Amino acid sequence: MELSFDKPSETLKYLTSETIPYSEISAAAEKLSAQISEPHTNKDGRKFQPITQGILECFKRINNYKSSQWISVTKLEHELLENDKPIKFTRINSKGEICEYKIINFDRIDFSKPKEYADEYKVIKKPEIIVEEDSDNEYKKVFTLLMNGENVFLTGYAGTGKSYILNKLKEKLKKKL
């Protein structure tokens, strides 16, 4: 399949496919990068990887954006223009993981309105630390989690101390009860 930004919707489907092998998508993105006149960058001016470059170029053309600068939703410091939403997409990475992006083009940000955050909170309970000072840090973490009602999944290679920690926890819990 010959990809081109002249057909951005088709190219976008290809670049965001979760079934096409990463190596094929990466090779296609490298070829496509020659068609991008202004590389896409984040807020700090760093360029995105070729696959993301291609995806952002598709969105730029589909939505008629002028800017090639983007910002992650998590780093947004200003409100979006009225009725705007972030662009969401997933793409495969070199490890075969599916990564989700939530990103905004600078054309869609109202720089005159600082963002007001609504996630104010206050701490109403801090975890209790109930172990002796001479205990090792991993044991302290596990014991504190258990004593605060959290679930713990203990795993590791042979000889890493799983049984040791479990035995110390049993001893400590018997003393507490």
Side-chain angles (χ1 to χ4, degrees):
M1 173 180 181
E2 187 64 34
L3 297 177
S4 167
F5 292 121
D6 294 335
K7 297 179 181 177
S9 294
E10 290 176 23
T11 301
L12 181 61
K13 284 180 188 174
Y14 184 88
L15 294 174
T16 57
S17 171
E18 295 177 9
T19 58
I20 299 170
Y22 173 82
S23 58
E24 290 179 30
I25 294 173
S26 182
E30 287 290 339
K31 289 180 186 175
L32 283 169
S33 64
Q35 298 176 33
I36 300 174
S37 59
E38 184 181 352
H40 296 271
T41 61
N42 69 6
K43 176 185 172 189
D44 301 324
R46 290 183 298 161
K47 290 189 336 184
F48 290 96
Q49 294 181 359
I51 296 173
T52 306
Q53 286 282 339
I55 291 169
L56 296 177
E57 184 67 20
C58 289
F59 279 119
K60 181 179 176 182
R61 291 179 185 222
I62 290 168
N63 295 300
N64 295 313
Y65 295 149
K66 292 180 180 28
S67 178
S68 292
Q69 199 167 13
W70 301 80
I71 187 168
S72 167
V73 169
T74 59
K75 295 186 178 181
L76 187 63
E77 297 170 352
H78 295 83
E79 295 291 333
L80 297 180
L81 295 175
E82 193 171 323
N83 297 321
D84 260 325
K85 294 183 227 169
I87 291 172
K88 297 177 187 178
F89 64 91
T90 57
R91 78 167 185 85
I92 194 167
N93 68 13
S94 60
K95 298 175 187 172
E97 302 163 327
I98 305 300
C99 302
E100 182 180 67
Y101 289 76
K102 291 180 186 175
I103 195 163
I104 299 157
N105 186 279
F106 268 38
D107 286 356
R108 309 316 309 153
I109 300 172
D110 186 345
F111 287 101
S112 69
K113 295 182 184 175
K115 187 173 182 181
E116 293 185 23
Y117 295 95
D119 61 346
E120 294 180 20
Y121 66 92
K122 67 178 186 177
V123 176
I124 57 172
K125 180 183 177 194
K126 290 187 177 184
E128 294 179 49
I129 306 232
I130 319 172
V131 293
E132 300 91 10
E133 291 301 314
D134 63 338
S135 299
D136 69 35
N137 285 339
E138 292 305 311
Y139 172 71
K140 284 181 185 179
K141 289 178 193 174
V142 172
F143 191 78
T144 300
L145 289 169
L146 289 171
M147 290 306 293
N148 286 301
E150 299 292 331
N151 293 320
V152 175
F153 180 73
L154 188 59
T155 185
Y157 294 105
T160 58
K162 297 180 299 293
S163 297
Y164 170 79
I165 286 178
L166 287 173
N167 289 328
K168 293 271 283 186
L169 289 170
K170 283 181 198 175
E171 291 172 23
K172 186 59 80 173
L173 287 171
K174 283 180 188 176
K175 289 178 187 176
K176 291 288 178 192
L177 302 175

